[in-house]
Amino acid sequence: MTESKISKELFQPAHIQESEHEKILRPSLTFMQDSWIRIRKNKAALVSIIVLSLVIIMAFIGPLISGYTYSEQTTSNASLPPKVQGFDNMPFWNGKQNIGGEEVDVYKQKNVPEGTYYWFGTDTLGRDQFTRVWKGTQISLFIGFVAAFFDLLVGVTYGMISGYSGGRVDNFMQRILEVASAIPNLVVVILMLLVLDPGIMSIIIAIAMTSWITMARVVRGQVLKLKDQEFVLASKTLGGSTPSILFKHLLPNVSGVIIINVMFSIPSAIFFEAFLGFIGLGIPAPQASLGTLISEGYKTLQVLPYMVLYPTLVLCIIMIAFNLIADGLRDAFDPKMRD
């Protein structure tokens, strides 16, 4: 820096120097814009969003592109290994299986017509595994998103009313939560299966009856911290109604916590449904979820390992992706993580 520049800065008026120091160098951003900037830096969360989007797309178009239905049985083509066009020389996808220490072309052995391909193989009843895996993914995701919907509808509303009301109302509502949380989910599912016919509806009702409890407690805790803040007191002073304060002022301020908990509740519901399917309380045949497919494949694990491999792989991808996205959102919505 030259002497003229230094002397010019030294002899500038005080108010001009202060205004230079008070300039805001960082552009003004909304909460969501700032959060998006932070989540873009989280490579694991971004990759998980892309992978999860592909899984969701395949859950809907997968059953349509294979040429088979999830319930179509061809007993003559039962227990066929995976075979994909153009992969005739690649292991695992060439339609060959190791039988008695010798690699055998099972498609030729069973006289399967030329040009017949089963990308994930077939089960013991001759049903296409590719179609059933993606149909099962569709059902599992549906159950997970329905559980998240009940979290939002019941859990958020219950937690906000309980936290904002306080006093006896809060104590009474929390006692109800304690009673509801004391009943194991598995007991609720068994009771639903006894009252209702086994199927998606009974599982959804059982999961929805208890899945919102954690959300209600988290939202209540956040509302208890915020309800005595200045912006809430100002709204009360201006004559704001209780519903207006809850959903116009408090709800936007707890939205980050709600989104994070929803992202954790979806994989929890999917895993719980898969657990039910594995122990035989899941979706009845011929429909299938990822849990029932894993349960069926486990019975023939040593002979037909591909039957358990693909549904397990899809389930693991869904669980990991949702958890990484939830971790990324938690960091993005935390103001302390700001650079």
Short mmCIF file of all heavy atoms in Angstrom, two decimals, residues 58 61-68 70 117-122 127-137 293 310:
data_model
loop_
_atom_site.label_atom_id
_atom_site.label_comp_id
_atom_site.label_asym_id
_atom_site.label_seq_id
_atom_site.Cartn_x
_atom_site.Cartn_y
_atom_site.Cartn_z
N MET A 58 -37.72 -46.53 -9.14
CA MET A 58 -37.75 -47.95 -9.50
C MET A 58 -38.89 -48.69 -8.82
O MET A 58 -39.42 -49.66 -9.36
CB MET A 58 -36.41 -48.60 -9.15
CG MET A 58 -35.29 -48.27 -10.11
SD MET A 58 -35.66 -48.75 -11.82
CE MET A 58 -35.90 -50.52 -11.64
N ILE A 61 -41.73 -47.89 -11.36
CA ILE A 61 -41.62 -48.34 -12.75
C ILE A 61 -41.04 -49.75 -12.87
O ILE A 61 -41.20 -50.40 -13.91
CB ILE A 61 -40.77 -47.36 -13.58
CG1 ILE A 61 -39.29 -47.39 -13.15
CG2 ILE A 61 -41.33 -45.95 -13.49
CD1 ILE A 61 -38.38 -46.61 -14.07
N GLY A 62 -40.38 -50.24 -11.80
CA GLY A 62 -39.79 -51.58 -11.83
C GLY A 62 -40.80 -52.68 -12.15
O GLY A 62 -40.55 -53.52 -13.03
N PRO A 63 -41.96 -52.71 -11.45
CA PRO A 63 -42.94 -53.76 -11.76
C PRO A 63 -43.54 -53.67 -13.16
O PRO A 63 -44.18 -54.63 -13.62
CB PRO A 63 -44.03 -53.54 -10.70
CG PRO A 63 -43.34 -52.84 -9.58
CD PRO A 63 -42.33 -51.96 -10.25
N LEU A 64 -43.33 -52.54 -13.85
CA LEU A 64 -43.94 -52.35 -15.17
C LEU A 64 -43.00 -52.73 -16.31
O LEU A 64 -43.47 -52.96 -17.43
CB LEU A 64 -44.38 -50.89 -15.34
CG LEU A 64 -45.33 -50.33 -14.27
CD1 LEU A 64 -45.60 -48.86 -14.54
CD2 LEU A 64 -46.64 -51.11 -14.26
N ILE A 65 -41.69 -52.77 -16.07
CA ILE A 65 -40.74 -52.96 -17.16
C ILE A 65 -40.26 -54.39 -17.33
O ILE A 65 -39.61 -54.71 -18.31
CB ILE A 65 -39.52 -52.03 -16.98
CG1 ILE A 65 -38.74 -52.39 -15.71
CG2 ILE A 65 -39.94 -50.57 -16.95
CD1 ILE A 65 -37.48 -51.56 -15.50
N SER A 66 -40.57 -55.25 -16.38
CA SER A 66 -40.05 -56.62 -16.45
C SER A 66 -40.88 -57.52 -17.35
O SER A 66 -40.39 -58.54 -17.84
CB SER A 66 -39.99 -57.23 -15.05
OG SER A 66 -41.29 -57.36 -14.51
N GLY A 67 -42.15 -57.17 -17.57
CA GLY A 67 -43.02 -58.01 -18.38
C GLY A 67 -43.74 -59.08 -17.60
O GLY A 67 -44.49 -59.88 -18.17
N TYR A 68 -43.54 -59.11 -16.27
CA TYR A 68 -44.21 -60.09 -15.41
C TYR A 68 -44.96 -59.34 -14.30
O TYR A 68 -44.64 -58.20 -13.99
CB TYR A 68 -43.20 -61.06 -14.78
CG TYR A 68 -42.32 -61.79 -15.77
CD1 TYR A 68 -41.03 -61.33 -16.04
CD2 TYR A 68 -42.78 -62.92 -16.44
CE1 TYR A 68 -40.21 -61.99 -16.94
CE2 TYR A 68 -41.96 -63.59 -17.35
CZ TYR A 68 -40.68 -63.12 -17.60
OH TYR A 68 -39.88 -63.77 -18.50
N TYR A 70 -46.32 -59.43 -10.15
CA TYR A 70 -45.75 -59.92 -8.89
C TYR A 70 -46.39 -61.21 -8.42
O TYR A 70 -45.81 -61.94 -7.61
CB TYR A 70 -45.87 -58.84 -7.81
CG TYR A 70 -47.28 -58.59 -7.32
CD1 TYR A 70 -47.79 -59.29 -6.24
CD2 TYR A 70 -48.09 -57.65 -7.95
CE1 TYR A 70 -49.08 -59.07 -5.80
CE2 TYR A 70 -49.38 -57.43 -7.51
CZ TYR A 70 -49.87 -58.13 -6.44
OH TYR A 70 -51.16 -57.91 -6.01
N TYR A 117 -35.88 -64.23 -19.78
CA TYR A 117 -34.91 -63.70 -18.82
C TYR A 117 -35.63 -63.31 -17.53
O TYR A 117 -36.71 -62.72 -17.56
CB TYR A 117 -34.19 -62.48 -19.38
CG TYR A 117 -33.35 -62.76 -20.60
CD1 TYR A 117 -33.89 -62.60 -21.87
CD2 TYR A 117 -32.03 -63.18 -20.49
CE1 TYR A 117 -33.13 -62.85 -23.01
CE2 TYR A 117 -31.26 -63.44 -21.62
CZ TYR A 117 -31.82 -63.28 -22.88
OH TYR A 117 -31.06 -63.54 -24.00
N TYR A 118 -35.01 -63.68 -16.42
CA TYR A 118 -35.47 -63.23 -15.11
C TYR A 118 -34.30 -62.52 -14.45
O TYR A 118 -33.33 -63.17 -14.04
CB TYR A 118 -35.94 -64.41 -14.26
CG TYR A 118 -37.20 -65.08 -14.76
CD1 TYR A 118 -37.14 -66.26 -15.51
CD2 TYR A 118 -38.45 -64.54 -14.48
CE1 TYR A 118 -38.28 -66.86 -15.97
CE2 TYR A 118 -39.61 -65.15 -14.95
CZ TYR A 118 -39.52 -66.30 -15.69
OH TYR A 118 -40.67 -66.91 -16.15
N TRP A 119 -34.37 -61.19 -14.37
CA TRP A 119 -33.21 -60.39 -13.98
C TRP A 119 -32.77 -60.66 -12.54
O TRP A 119 -31.58 -60.60 -12.24
CB TRP A 119 -33.52 -58.91 -14.16
CG TRP A 119 -33.78 -58.55 -15.59
CD1 TRP A 119 -33.28 -59.19 -16.69
CD2 TRP A 119 -34.60 -57.49 -16.09
NE1 TRP A 119 -33.73 -58.59 -17.84
CE2 TRP A 119 -34.55 -57.54 -17.51
CE3 TRP A 119 -35.36 -56.50 -15.48
CZ2 TRP A 119 -35.24 -56.64 -18.31
CZ3 TRP A 119 -36.04 -55.60 -16.28
CH2 TRP A 119 -35.97 -55.66 -17.67
N PHE A 120 -33.70 -60.93 -11.65
CA PHE A 120 -33.35 -61.28 -10.26
C PHE A 120 -33.67 -62.74 -9.97
O PHE A 120 -33.67 -63.15 -8.82
CB PHE A 120 -34.12 -60.40 -9.27
CG PHE A 120 -33.62 -58.99 -9.16
CD1 PHE A 120 -34.24 -58.07 -8.32
CD2 PHE A 120 -32.51 -58.56 -9.90
CE1 PHE A 120 -33.78 -56.76 -8.22
CE2 PHE A 120 -32.05 -57.25 -9.81
CZ PHE A 120 -32.69 -56.36 -8.98
N GLY A 121 -33.93 -63.55 -11.01
CA GLY A 121 -34.29 -64.94 -10.82
C GLY A 121 -35.76 -65.10 -10.47
O GLY A 121 -36.55 -64.15 -10.54
N THR A 122 -36.14 -66.32 -10.11
CA THR A 122 -37.52 -66.62 -9.72
C THR A 122 -37.52 -67.30 -8.35
O THR A 122 -36.51 -67.86 -7.92
CB THR A 122 -38.21 -67.55 -10.74
OG1 THR A 122 -37.49 -68.80 -10.80
CG2 THR A 122 -38.26 -66.92 -12.11
N ARG A 127 -42.32 -67.19 -9.54
CA ARG A 127 -42.67 -65.78 -9.67
C ARG A 127 -41.41 -64.94 -9.86
O ARG A 127 -40.37 -65.23 -9.25
CB ARG A 127 -43.44 -65.30 -8.43
CG ARG A 127 -44.79 -65.97 -8.28
CD ARG A 127 -45.50 -65.59 -6.99
NE ARG A 127 -44.78 -66.06 -5.81
CZ ARG A 127 -45.33 -66.16 -4.60
NH1 ARG A 127 -46.60 -65.82 -4.43
NH2 ARG A 127 -44.63 -66.58 -3.58
N ASP A 128 -41.51 -63.93 -10.70
CA ASP A 128 -40.37 -63.08 -11.03
C ASP A 128 -39.93 -62.27 -9.82
O ASP A 128 -40.70 -61.47 -9.28
CB ASP A 128 -40.74 -62.15 -12.19
CG ASP A 128 -39.60 -61.23 -12.56
OD1 ASP A 128 -38.47 -61.72 -12.68
OD2 ASP A 128 -39.84 -60.02 -12.70
N GLN A 129 -38.68 -62.46 -9.40
CA GLN A 129 -38.17 -61.78 -8.21
C GLN A 129 -37.96 -60.28 -8.45
O GLN A 129 -38.11 -59.48 -7.52
CB GLN A 129 -36.86 -62.41 -7.76
CG GLN A 129 -37.02 -63.65 -6.90
CD GLN A 129 -37.62 -63.32 -5.55
OE1 GLN A 129 -38.84 -63.45 -5.35
NE2 GLN A 129 -36.80 -62.92 -4.61
N PHE A 130 -37.61 -59.89 -9.66
CA PHE A 130 -37.39 -58.48 -9.95
C PHE A 130 -38.67 -57.69 -9.69
O PHE A 130 -38.65 -56.65 -9.01
CB PHE A 130 -36.94 -58.31 -11.41
CG PHE A 130 -36.65 -56.89 -11.81
CD1 PHE A 130 -35.40 -56.33 -11.58
CD2 PHE A 130 -37.63 -56.11 -12.41
CE1 PHE A 130 -35.14 -55.02 -11.94
CE2 PHE A 130 -37.37 -54.80 -12.78
CZ PHE A 130 -36.12 -54.26 -12.55
N THR A 131 -39.78 -58.20 -10.22
CA THR A 131 -41.06 -57.52 -10.02
C THR A 131 -41.45 -57.53 -8.55
O THR A 131 -41.93 -56.52 -8.02
CB THR A 131 -42.15 -58.21 -10.86
OG1 THR A 131 -41.75 -58.26 -12.22
CG2 THR A 131 -43.47 -57.46 -10.75
N ARG A 132 -41.25 -58.64 -7.88
CA ARG A 132 -41.66 -58.76 -6.48
C ARG A 132 -40.81 -57.88 -5.56
O ARG A 132 -41.31 -57.31 -4.59
CB ARG A 132 -41.60 -60.21 -6.04
CG ARG A 132 -42.72 -61.05 -6.64
CD ARG A 132 -42.62 -62.52 -6.24
NE ARG A 132 -42.82 -62.72 -4.81
CZ ARG A 132 -43.99 -62.69 -4.20
NH1 ARG A 132 -45.10 -62.42 -4.90
NH2 ARG A 132 -44.09 -62.93 -2.90
N VAL A 133 -39.52 -57.74 -5.87
CA VAL A 133 -38.66 -56.89 -5.05
C VAL A 133 -39.10 -55.44 -5.13
O VAL A 133 -39.24 -54.74 -4.11
CB VAL A 133 -37.18 -57.03 -5.47
CG1 VAL A 133 -36.34 -55.89 -4.89
CG2 VAL A 133 -36.62 -58.37 -5.02
N TRP A 134 -39.38 -54.95 -6.35
CA TRP A 134 -39.77 -53.55 -6.48
C TRP A 134 -41.20 -53.31 -6.02
O TRP A 134 -41.52 -52.23 -5.51
CB TRP A 134 -39.56 -53.08 -7.92
CG TRP A 134 -38.12 -53.05 -8.30
CD1 TRP A 134 -37.51 -53.75 -9.29
CD2 TRP A 134 -37.07 -52.29 -7.66
NE1 TRP A 134 -36.16 -53.48 -9.32
CE2 TRP A 134 -35.87 -52.59 -8.33
CE3 TRP A 134 -37.06 -51.40 -6.61
CZ2 TRP A 134 -34.65 -52.02 -7.97
CZ3 TRP A 134 -35.85 -50.82 -6.22
CH2 TRP A 134 -34.66 -51.14 -6.90
N LYS A 135 -42.06 -54.31 -6.18
CA LYS A 135 -43.42 -54.19 -5.62
C LYS A 135 -43.34 -54.17 -4.09
O LYS A 135 -44.06 -53.41 -3.43
CB LYS A 135 -44.28 -55.36 -6.09
CG LYS A 135 -45.75 -55.24 -5.69
CD LYS A 135 -46.43 -54.10 -6.40
CE LYS A 135 -47.91 -54.04 -6.06
NZ LYS A 135 -48.59 -52.90 -6.74
N GLY A 136 -42.47 -54.99 -3.51
CA GLY A 136 -42.27 -55.00 -2.07
C GLY A 136 -41.68 -53.69 -1.58
O GLY A 136 -42.05 -53.19 -0.50
N THR A 137 -40.76 -53.11 -2.37
CA THR A 137 -40.21 -51.80 -2.01
C THR A 137 -41.30 -50.74 -2.01
O THR A 137 -41.35 -49.87 -1.12
CB THR A 137 -39.11 -51.40 -3.02
OG1 THR A 137 -38.12 -52.43 -3.07
CG2 THR A 137 -38.46 -50.09 -2.63
N LEU A 293 -40.22 -60.87 1.69
CA LEU A 293 -39.29 -61.41 0.70
C LEU A 293 -38.02 -61.93 1.36
O LEU A 293 -37.49 -62.98 0.98
CB LEU A 293 -38.95 -60.35 -0.34
CG LEU A 293 -40.07 -59.96 -1.31
CD1 LEU A 293 -39.65 -58.78 -2.17
CD2 LEU A 293 -40.46 -61.14 -2.18
N TYR A 310 -31.18 -59.67 -2.96
CA TYR A 310 -31.68 -58.43 -3.55
C TYR A 310 -32.63 -57.66 -2.63
O TYR A 310 -32.48 -56.43 -2.49
CB TYR A 310 -32.34 -58.73 -4.91
CG TYR A 310 -31.34 -59.23 -5.93
CD1 TYR A 310 -31.36 -60.55 -6.38
CD2 TYR A 310 -30.35 -58.40 -6.43
CE1 TYR A 310 -30.44 -61.02 -7.30
CE2 TYR A 310 -29.42 -58.85 -7.35
CZ TYR A 310 -29.47 -60.16 -7.78
OH TYR A 310 -28.54 -60.61 -8.69
#
